Amino acid sequence: MQITLDINGEKKKIICNTGATLLTVLRKQGYFGAKFGGCENGECGACTILLDGNPINSCSILAAQCEGHQIETIESIGEHPQQGWRTTDGLHILQKTFIEVGAVQCGFCTPAMVLAAKSLLDKNSDPSVEQVREVLSGVLCRCTGYLKPVQAVLRAAALMRGESVPPIDLTEQSELLVDPSIDSSIHDLVEKQNHEILTKIMPRVVGIKDTPKKSQIGKSEIKVDAIKLVQGKPAFVSDYQIPNMLYAKVLFSPYAHARIKAIDTAKAKALSGVAAVLTYKDIPRVIYSTAGQSDPIPGPLDSFSLDDKVRFVGDRVAFVAAESPEIAEEALKLIEVEYEELPFILDPAQSMQEGAIQIHDEKEYVNFGETDATRNIAGKIRIDIGNVEEGYQEADYIFEEDYEVPKVQQAHIEPHVVLTYWDEDDRLVIKTSTQVPFHVRRILSPVLQLPMKRIRVIKPRIGGGFGGKQEVLIEDVAAHLTIATRRPVFYEYSRKDEFYSARSRHPMRVHMKTGVKKDGTITANEMVVLSDTGAYGCHGLTVTGNTGSKSMALYVGDGKYRKSPNIRFYADIVYTNTPPAGAYRGYGVPQGFWPLERHIEKITRELNLDSLEFRLKNAVRPGELHPFSTSWSEGREPRPEIIHTVGLEECVRQGKAAIGWDQKYKNPDWRNVPGKKHLKRGVGVAMVMQGTAIPYLDMGGASIKMNDDGSFNLLIGATDLGTGSDTVLGQMAAEILGVPLEDIIVYSSDTDFTPFDKGAYASSTTYISGTAVVKAAEVVAERIRIRAANMLNAQSGNNDLSDKQIVLHGRKAIAPDGRFVTQKDVGYNSLHHTNQEQIMGVGSYVSPVSPPPFAAQFAEVEVDIETGQIEVKKLVMAVDSGVIVNPVTASGQVEGGMIQALGYAVCEEMRYDSKGVPLEKDFNDYHIFRANEIPEMETIFVETYEPSHPFGVKAVAEIPMDGVAPAVGNAILDACGAEVLKNPATPQRIWEALNRK
Amino acid sequence: MDKIKEKKVIKAYYRPQTIEEATKLLAKTNLEIVPIGGGSFVARHQENIDAVVDLQGLGLNRIESKKDYFLVGATTTLQDLVTNHALPENLRNAAKRDFSYNIRQRKTIAGVIVEKPESSILLLALCALGSKIILLPSNNELDINHWLQSKSIPDKGQFIGYIKIPQNIQFEYESVSKTKEDKPLIAIAISKGQKNAKNVLLSSKNVIAKPITEDEENLKIAYSQLINSDFSPEYFIKTTNTLIQRINRKIK
């Protein structure tokens, strides 16, 4: 049919299918700002546009319905201020404030939030916080935790009203603002903090005294990719369209465990518009692991692209490529499969039982370490540090308890998505939303039977990953179909596919046993884990290893136990017939801290010890050996490692003041809510640590090239999945090269052009890739200084100036006497005038250590003791992540991480029915937090200087996931005495715990 | 083989300007033809639909206060309900609870009635208030509770025109959920009419506005009708009673 749509004030005649949604039509017309989040009923809101001024989901309206109405897309409201000779109004004020306050992370939902906010401000120039939260609540964001988007809208509103707003101080580092000893000021303090949260953009940074001032490090620069993302530019995989492109779909297994006895694709192939149907009979049988890790993969090889056996509901049966997604979908229905149903295992406790069905009986199975497919064991860990039994004998008390953590999903708003095609040189191009482009290339080479050099992997912007895209999950599907059809193939998961077939956090059952002396000294600590890896072993060993090695390293004990702690960590990682688990932000550590910190709280209460003092007394301290460094290194050879920086004490001091600990904890007066007998308040804490990269293994690389005008191309293999790592790495280069960040053009990642990098995982980018950037920048800086010295010597006619005397600062190469040449002079000189050369540097880095960040996380809750319903009122995180390169982007990581972790604490859980069918299949069933329900949050950075990094940094991205759930669990205990042993703390679990009291 | 592809595609879109015109279109017996308001459901679920009749041109998006009832047009959006201060606050809050802000801009009251979303607080509220569905063009009135429980659909050519919501009925609801915005695990509404007769209704997963009484046996039966419930029968019975007591205290 032909329709006329008024898009951004322009009447457009469009021919489309009658049933076409507005989203489909807009994207075909080139309006890529509206994104598709894979949802079925508009739950995510990424496709928001304005219809007659109101935000609506363009995926949930027929284009035909929009005739006669005004459509407004992100493309109409603002643009980059520099458009050559054409004058422009630049960005919309909302776009500017979103960028300024750090409200843009992955950027996938940013255009939607900007438009929703615009609809509000167009009608109401002075909205309340609640109104802003409400209007943003139609758009799901998994990155930001919504705090910064709310701040951006309020700031824009003030500017639009003509008011002056406080500047975002880009360089100020605030010192200690709160004196925790002043108990009486708590109510004022809370009020002040509430106010600050709405208006203050910079997080609190407790800096290191007497550190030299840097020009870039510690400066909240705007993100280098923010301007394009806030405009909704076509930056994501699904924004790329190629002529002659086919659409892929996968037939998923309806059974938890079955053998394919027969499969007939004739009818599907005969359907008009179907280009290919592939089954296990059509492609090479190559065993591999989908885990995106360095070589050798520390886990079993147990996966095929397609197999004659299916191992979970949602496992792959066949691939289809067709002219449209609808035809591909229809073709799936025409594939006739005869299954032989097999017994299946859903409960991990049954996996190792005698007589249990063997899930992996394929002859190609490749063991790693102590895997034993005959017993459904995907991994086994036995670590004894010191002498645990002796430690128990020395203890006055022994505490034991069982805990459980659920399977949860990363829920990045951009689903898994890939586009493959043969380029003009017959090389296979894989454009994919991945955290690990180089691992994708390496792992797929044998699977596709293509030499690695004939594969090019390009990573555009990523709409969130959180570990879910540290998996070679769907790239092979499109690639096989491109090989089969010779045509470009696009494949994108729906939200349902994500819940049925993508990876998730490993669920675990954990037994804790701890020996404690009367004085509160821990004499022995033991964690025994049963980890459910699902149907495949991807990441099972390393995730579970982290569960113990990162969490159980925190409490070594006091006195003689500091030098010789007694720690035991045993784990069995077992197969079940459920969707495989994998990498998820925190990588096993949140699973460790729920039982550990719940258990520690139990001990402090039963022994009537001070909760914070008990923890600090037993916690690891600077200069001590990382207790696991001699016994575990993600399945590789461990080497001893000293922990140099531990900011825990200051984190506790700051965090307890921010939450009002001394006034609230165990305080019966405060606990009661006036006028509401059924409500009880409580506060809780969890101390946590994480790691920073994987020592001796993961490598980051960078190259820097100088241009004529004194700008630089920074090419990195590291993958910014919305975290701001491109920006932070750019800042490091700018610091060394003495230029502003705007002179660094950052590009990531393309296996043909950017240096190798292991990818974005293990909290390693700022630390590992950052050091590589610094090394590359130092090479370039040296060449600039040499050339600048020569230029200045030539100018003066003397030869007395050495390159060692030259300082790079403010786009200049400056001699001690103040003479200088600009970097532009150097650029022109090097490329056009004298002894021409390309000034360029390459750097790479592997770390011998993994310095842990530390944090104290606090939660305040209100519990309805009659129904078990809980409301989390406030979250505080005081974190030692070393030196903070960019406080605004770093605080965005903490806020977003806390809200993700809050889902783990109270509502997120993936469950299966008795046949292994997922009960959660969309964001209606699987609730993730919306803007209008987030608690108050506060982030405090307690800086330490990590000596192993050129700028003293440690990791920040993963640690926020670790402590929220146990802090909430401990706060529930404080509020009403309910000991919830299994998270999430749902109303029923709290109610049951109350009844157990 | 192309038949399959054709089956998936809506072939015709109509936007009538009068009720008569709409009726005539919907009466076409040779087509699977459905009326749409906001279109939010049909846009994503087009299986077996040949044509759609968009009701946006009929002026059915108004809320009128009559002597003892509100007359709400079928294409009134949930956001219109939320922002209309003439409506009772409880009803406005109920309209806000089921769907997020963006979806409320398009989702219509009739759309919710037809779609019957799980755990809907709005449907619970409409039932508690004893609302009626008015079909056009016949102007036949149907009890909404009967509609929801019997899974009835209008005769060919008929469509929902208005919802009639009685005024002067006292009504309160309470619910329990994992978070403030997550869908309710259990929701209870109680209304009290002019004869002081109390009406207690339950909504939960796959149960919409089911009349219940407070006795344990009745609640056990109600529990047994829940599929894949997120809670135990003990929790359900205890919490349901708690919510009923809380509402009773408010309603007194």
Side-chain angles (χ1 to χ4, degrees):
Chain A
M1 71 183 295
Q2 179 174 302
I3 55 175
T4 303
L5 295 180
D6 180 344
I7 305 173
N8 301 329
E10 190 184 343
K11 296 259 189 314
K12 287 200 165 190
K13 284 195 166 57
I14 294 165
I15 294 173
C16 64
N17 290 332
T18 312
T21 64
L22 180 60
L23 176 65
T24 307
V25 168
L26 286 174
R27 290 182 65 84
K28 279 191 178 162
Q29 293 289 317
Y31 300 98
F32 290 109
K35 310 295 183 190
F36 178 56
C39 61
E40 198 50 17
N41 295 302
E43 307 94 91
C44 81
C47 62
T48 300
I49 56 95
L50 301 185
L51 189 73
D52 298 332
N54 295 317
I56 67 150
N57 297 327
S58 58
C59 75
S60 300
I61 186 170
L62 300 177
Q65 290 180 273
C66 301
E67 263 197 315
H69 299 276
Q70 290 181 335
I71 297 163
E72 209 174 340
T73 72
I74 194 73
E75 285 81 2
S76 72
I77 74 165
E79 62 181 342
H80 195 291
Q82 291 174 353
Q83 297 288 334
W85 51 264
R86 181 166 61 81
T87 56
T88 164
D89 293 334
L91 293 170
H92 188 278
I93 205 158
L94 270 164
Q95 292 173 310
K96 287 181 191 168
T97 57
F98 264 70
I99 293 170
E100 283 170 4
V101 309
V104 183
Q105 285 197 25
C106 83
F108 196 74
C109 68
T110 303
M113 285 205 278
V114 168
L115 284 171
K118 182 175 182 293
S119 76
L120 175 67
L121 300 191
D122 283 349
K123 295 166 198 151
N124 178 0
S125 63
D126 193 9
S128 66
V129 176
E130 286 68 31
Q131 287 169 321
V132 174
R133 286 181 171 209
E134 188 61 32
V135 83
L136 294 181
S137 69
V139 182
L140 285 175
C141 173
R142 192 63 159 169
C143 296
T144 63
Y146 304 107
L147 193 56
K148 286 181 167 42
V150 173
Q151 289 169 333
V153 180
L154 292 170
R155 190 174 178 84
L159 288 167
M160 288 164 85
R161 292 193 301 270
E163 295 171 11
S164 63
V165 294
I168 298 169
D169 191 336
L170 296 178
T171 54
E172 181 196 356
Q173 289 206 339
S174 54
E175 289 298 329
L176 189 62
L177 296 180
V178 182
D179 183 348
S181 64
I182 305 172
D183 294 349
S184 58
S185 64
I186 188 64
H187 296 297
D188 294 341
L189 177 64
V190 170
E191 276 181 23
K192 185 179 169 221
Q193 285 170 348
N194 277 334
H195 179 66
E196 276 179 356
I197 277 180
L198 301 182
T199 56
K200 189 169 145 288
I201 308 303
M202 283 284 284
R204 182 179 302 168
V205 181
V206 182
I208 308 162
K209 282 183 182 167
D210 305 326
T211 48
K213 198 83 177 165
K214 305 275 189 215
S215 63
Q216 282 291 322
I217 306 304
K219 187 176 178 184
S220 289
E221 290 278 10
I222 66 166
K223 281 181 75 207
V224 294
D225 52 355
I227 294 178
K228 72 176 162 217
L229 294 172
V230 83
Q231 294 177 83
K233 292 276 183 176
F236 298 92
V237 173
S238 59
D239 298 335
Y240 295 89
Q241 307 282 324
I242 293 189
N244 207 27
M245 190 170 82
L246 296 166
Y247 295 85
K249 292 280 177 188
V250 172
L251 181 66
F252 293 120
S253 168
Y255 298 109
H257 199 192
R259 204 167 289 284
I260 298 170
K261 287 175 71 179
I263 184 162
D264 185 349
T265 59
K267 287 179 184 167
K269 283 177 177 167
L271 180 65
S272 174
V274 170
V277 181
L278 300 178
T279 72
Y280 71 91
K281 297 174 185 171
D282 302 307
I283 61 174
R285 185 172 172 82
V286 179
I287 195 139
Y288 70 110
S289 169
T290 59
Q293 295 176 285
S294 293
D295 182 71
I297 299 278
L301 305 187
D302 58 6
S303 301
F304 302 94
S305 278
L306 287 166
D307 195 3
D308 61 353
K309 191 180 181 191
V310 288
R311 298 176 180 83
F312 66 97
V313 174
D315 206 353
R316 301 154 159 201
V317 176
F319 305 155
V320 169
E323 302 294 340
S324 75
E326 293 79 15
I327 297 172
E329 197 75 53
E330 290 303 323
L332 295 182
K333 295 175 190 167
L334 297 174
I335 299 173
E336 294 171 356
V337 190
E338 188 184 343
Y339 296 96
E340 177 196 350
E341 288 186 63
L342 300 171
F344 55 88
I345 303 166
L346 301 179
D347 181 351
Q350 294 172 359
S351 294
M352 292 188 295
Q353 281 179 1
E354 199 69 35
I357 183 88
Q358 186 177 342
I359 294 172
H360 283 278
D361 54 359
E362 63 275 12
K363 64 181 187 307
E364 297 91 342
Y365 188 93
V366 178
N367 285 299
F368 182 89
E370 295 184 66
T371 52
D372 180 358
T374 62
R375 297 184 59 218
N376 293 319
I377 296 174
K380 195 173 180 180
I381 300 168
R382 298 289 184 268
I383 297 172
D384 278 294
I385 299 164
N387 189 328
V388 171
E389 298 307 327
E390 205 171 277
Y392 288 144
Q393 285 170 12
E394 290 166 3
D396 295 312
Y397 308 98
I398 302 287
F399 294 89
E400 285 191 77
E401 192 59 87
D402 291 304
Y403 301 88
E404 194 170 341
V405 290
K407 179 180 273 195
V408 290
Q409 209 181 52
Q410 299 86 350
H412 30 77
I413 304 302
E414 179 202 39
H416 286 86
V417 55
V418 60
L419 170 64
T420 55
Y421 55 92
W422 292 110
D423 71 7
E424 61 276 20
D425 294 316
D426 296 308
R427 295 174 74 233
L428 184 72
V429 179
I430 303 175
K431 191 169 274 193
T432 178
S433 182
T434 181
Q435 296 173 226
V436 286
F438 288 89
H439 295 337
V440 169
R441 184 179 64 168
R442 187 189 89 249
I443 290 168
L444 284 191
S445 172
V447 173
L448 302 175
Q449 298 193 344
L450 262 178
M452 213 190 291
K453 64 191 172 197
R454 300 201 66 78
I455 300 173
R456 176 183 174 191
V457 179
I458 302 171
K459 175 226 61 113
R461 302 321 295 172
I462 304 173
F466 316 116
K469 293 173 182 172
Q470 196 201 332
E471 197 78 10
V472 189
L473 187 69
I474 65 168
E475 287 86 353
D476 63 317
V477 177
H480 281 303
L481 288 165
T482 286
I483 290 172
T485 62
R486 304 180 178 84
R487 290 175 61 182
V489 173
F490 175 80
Y491 183 41
E492 183 175 33
Y493 262 7
S494 69
R495 189 56 56 187
K496 184 181 172 189
D497 296 340
E498 292 285 343
F499 281 102
Y500 271 64
S501 297
R503 304 301 185 242
S504 52
R505 191 182 294 293
H506 290 71
M508 296 184 192
R509 294 172 190 173
V510 184
H511 180 75
M512 291 295 307
K513 184 175 178 184
T514 307
V516 188
K517 282 183 178 293
K518 283 177 184 165
D519 69 352
T521 301
I522 293 175
T523 61
N525 207 9
E526 177 178 354
M527 178 184 275
V528 179
V529 170
L530 178 62
S531 174
D532 179 358
T533 191
Y536 297 98
C538 31
H539 297 278
L541 180 72
T542 44
V543 160
T544 311
N546 261 8
T547 301
S549 66
K550 297 286 196 296
S551 68
M552 293 290 279
L554 181 56
Y555 298 116
V556 291
D558 202 9
K560 71 169 186 176
Y561 300 103
R562 294 202 161 275
K563 281 196 173 167
S564 181
N566 301 315
I567 303 171
R568 175 176 289 157
F569 174 61
Y570 289 180
D572 291 315
I573 302 115
V574 297
Y575 291 114
T576 60
N577 293 109
T578 57
Y584 180 9
R585 191 178 189 178
Y587 205 76
V589 186
Q591 291 101 309
F593 274 112
W594 168 263
L596 177 65
E597 280 298 304
R598 297 304 335 281
H599 198 59
I600 290 290
E601 185 68 17
K602 175 192 173 84
I603 295 168
T604 67
R605 284 175 177 267
E606 291 195 17
L607 297 183
N608 201 25
L609 299 168
D610 181 286
S611 181
L612 297 172
E613 279 180 18
F614 173 67
R615 284 174 166 88
L616 287 174
K617 175 183 171 67
N618 290 289
V620 70
R621 291 178 187 163
E624 291 177 354
L625 187 73
H626 190 304
F628 278 79
S629 64
T630 52
S631 53
W632 174 258
S633 182
E634 301 225 350
R636 289 143 175 122
E637 188 193 345
R639 304 186 202 195
E641 182 184 334
I642 299 294
I643 297 173
H644 293 290
T645 53
V646 182
L648 262 180
E649 280 192 42
E650 187 61 23
C651 288
V652 167
R653 205 168 92 91
Q654 293 289 332
K656 69 187 280 200
I659 200 82
W661 182 264
D662 290 339
Q663 296 73 32
K664 297 173 180 174
Y665 183 66
K666 289 186 178 175
N667 179 349
D669 293 335
W670 174 79
R671 188 174 291 148
N672 295 319
V673 179
K676 294 180 179 174
K677 283 185 181 168
H678 63 287
L679 296 181
K680 298 289 177 193
R681 294 188 289 210
V683 289
V685 67
M687 284 187 207
V688 292
M689 65 184 278
Q690 185 79 28
T692 304
I694 306 168
Y696 295 106
L697 176 71
D698 280 342
M699 191 273 272
S703 71
I704 299 176
K705 170 173 76 75
M706 188 180 200
N707 298 315
D708 317 39
D709 62 349
S711 68
F712 300 87
N713 292 107
L714 168 60
L715 303 183
I716 41 179
T719 51
D720 186 337
L721 49 150
T723 55
S725 64
D726 280 2
T727 308
V728 167
L729 299 185
Q731 284 181 258
M732 290 187 192
E735 180 74 44
I736 301 290
L737 296 168
V739 295
L741 179 60
E742 66 182 272
D743 289 356
I744 307 288
I745 304 150
V746 187
Y747 180 74
S748 69
S749 321
D750 180 331
T751 55
D752 269 14
F753 298 117
T754 57
F756 177 90
D757 194 289
K758 78 285 166 213
Y761 59 87
S763 285
S764 59
T765 304
T766 306
Y767 184 76
I768 295 281
S769 309
T771 306
V773 167
V774 168
K775 291 172 90 173
E778 281 170 346
V779 172
V780 172
E782 186 183 10
R783 291 305 310 159
I784 293 170
R785 281 194 292 265
I786 290 169
R787 184 164 287 269
N790 289 341
M791 290 166 71
L792 289 168
N793 282 334
Q795 282 173 14
S796 66
N798 298 323
N799 205 21
D800 56 350
L801 193 60
S802 148
D803 62 284
K804 304 282 183 281
Q805 298 171 277
I806 300 288
V807 172
L808 303 183
H809 183 70
R811 289 178 169 146
K812 294 171 190 160
I814 308 167
D817 60 5
R819 289 180 300 139
F820 67 88
V821 289
T822 66
Q823 302 246 21
K824 183 177 176 182
D825 295 335
V826 174
Y828 267 85
N829 184 273
S830 69
L831 294 172
H832 301 286
H833 300 155
T834 311
N835 295 328
Q836 287 90 327
E837 63 168 327
Q838 173 63 67
I839 293 180
M840 191 166 179
V842 178
S844 56
Y845 186 65
V846 179
S847 174
V849 292
S850 174
F854 293 89
Q857 295 188 265
F858 295 84
E860 180 182 323
V861 304
E862 198 169 86
V863 182
D864 183 331
I865 56 170
E866 292 175 349
T867 65
Q869 183 162 294
I870 179 182
E871 185 177 359
V872 176
K873 309 293 275 189
K874 183 169 182 176
L875 295 174
V876 172
M877 181 165 184
V879 55
D880 157 26
S881 288
V883 170
I884 300 301
V885 178
N886 187 320
V888 164
T889 59
S891 61
Q893 287 298 296
V894 173
E895 292 155 12
M898 283 200 283
I899 293 302
Q900 268 185 35
L902 186 58
Y904 193 53
V906 301
C907 60
E908 293 183 34
E909 187 172 16
M910 296 169 74
R911 300 160 309 153
Y912 302 90
D913 72 10
S914 59
K915 294 192 170 175
V917 179
L919 294 178
E920 284 77 23
K921 59 186 183 309
D922 58 32
F923 287 140
N924 283 324
D925 301 325
Y926 188 89
H927 183 74
I928 64 175
F929 271 78
R930 291 188 177 274
N932 55 352
E933 57 178 343
I934 55 167
E936 184 187 343
M937 283 186 280
E938 187 166 357
T939 302
I940 304 160
F941 291 114
V942 172
E943 290 195 326
T944 56
Y945 195 92
E946 169 53 40
S948 62
H949 186 273
F951 295 123
V953 309
K954 297 193 283 186
V956 71
E958 292 188 281
I959 192 168
M961 298 299 295
D962 296 342
V964 172
V968 167
N970 292 339
I972 293 167
L973 183 65
D974 184 55
C976 59
E979 183 71 271
V980 180
L981 301 174
K982 180 179 180 181
N983 69 315
T986 59
Q988 165 154 334
R989 288 182 186 144
I990 294 171
W991 180 84
E992 284 174 344
L994 276 163
N995 287 340
R996 274 201 307 269
K997 269 204 307 180
Chain B
M1 285 300 174
D2 271 347
K3 272 183 187 172
I4 295 160
K5 188 181 164 190
E6 284 167 19
K7 199 176 170 187
K8 289 284 286 180
V9 178
I10 295 174
K11 291 190 285 290
Y13 167 88
Y14 303 104
R15 193 186 293 184
Q17 297 303 308
T18 65
I19 287 168
E20 293 70 28
E21 201 185 333
T23 305
K24 199 182 282 181
L25 286 165
L26 288 166
K28 288 185 179 182
T29 51
N30 58 337
L31 290 176
E32 279 300 326
I33 187 163
V34 297
I36 59 170
S40 56
F41 186 79
V42 167
R44 302 300 303 276
H45 304 89
Q46 303 186 2
E47 296 81 4
N48 304 320
I49 297 175
D50 294 313
V52 292
V53 176
D54 188 345
L55 305 181
Q56 67 171 286
L58 304 186
L60 294 175
N61 56 347
R62 289 193 293 270
I63 302 170
E64 295 175 62
S65 181
K66 304 287 185 184
K67 188 184 169 194
D68 54 1
Y69 63 91
F70 295 102
L71 193 64
V72 180
T75 60
T76 302
T77 67
L78 301 189
Q79 189 61 14
D80 289 337
L81 294 175
V82 171
T83 55
N84 190 313
H85 290 265
L87 296 173
E89 193 179 352
N90 272 348
L91 181 61
R92 292 170 52 217
N93 288 338
K96 191 176 173 183
R97 188 64 177 79
D98 289 347
F99 294 98
S100 68
Y101 188 83
N102 281 18
I103 297 176
R104 293 202 303 268
Q105 310 296 322
R106 292 297 304 171
K107 184 79 74 182
T108 63
I109 186 168
V112 175
I113 290 168
V114 172
E115 194 183 322
K116 302 175 188 173
E118 276 188 354
S119 311
S120 167
I121 297 278
L122 177 60
L123 290 178
L124 187 69
L126 291 173
C127 290
L129 289 166
S131 305
K132 309 273 189 204
I133 294 167
I134 300 177
L135 296 178
L136 293 178
S138 64
N139 278 318
N140 282 348
E141 286 191 15
L142 299 174
D143 178 73
I144 190 170
N145 217 328
H146 177 73
W147 165 281
L148 292 173
Q149 306 307 335
S150 65
K151 298 181 183 174
S152 55
I153 51 166
D155 293 337
K156 199 85 181 167
Q158 300 265 317
F159 62 97
I160 297 174
Y162 301 95
I163 316 301
K164 192 172 164 183
I165 305 174
Q167 299 190 32
N168 307 321
I169 289 185
Q170 200 183 356
F171 138 76
E172 296 284 349
Y173 72 86
E174 287 275 343
S175 64
V176 177
S177 53
K178 293 180 201 165
T179 78
K180 211 171 105 186
E181 293 297 317
D182 194 8
K183 62 185 175 189
L185 300 166
I186 302 167
I188 300 289
I190 301 179
S191 57
K192 199 162 77 170
Q194 288 169 341
K195 295 174 186 170
N196 274 337
K198 271 192 190 173
N199 189 15
V200 184
L201 298 170
L202 160 78
S203 278
S204 187
K205 197 163 185 169
N206 79 287
V207 166
I208 301 170
K210 182 182 169 53
I212 56 166
T213 58
E214 296 166 49
D215 66 278
E216 195 166 326
E217 282 310 307
N218 182 277
L219 290 177
K220 276 183 186 168
I221 293 168
Y223 179 82
S224 69
Q225 292 169 346
L226 302 178
I227 298 169
N228 293 329
S229 60
D230 295 329
F231 35 77
S232 64
E234 295 77 24
Y235 178 76
F236 172 76
I237 291 167
K238 176 71 174 53
T239 303
T240 301
N241 270 319
T242 299
L243 298 182
I244 289 170
Q245 285 163 23
R246 285 183 187 176
I247 298 171
N248 280 336
R249 283 198 291 273
K250 285 199 248 178
I251 259 184
K252 275 175 190 169

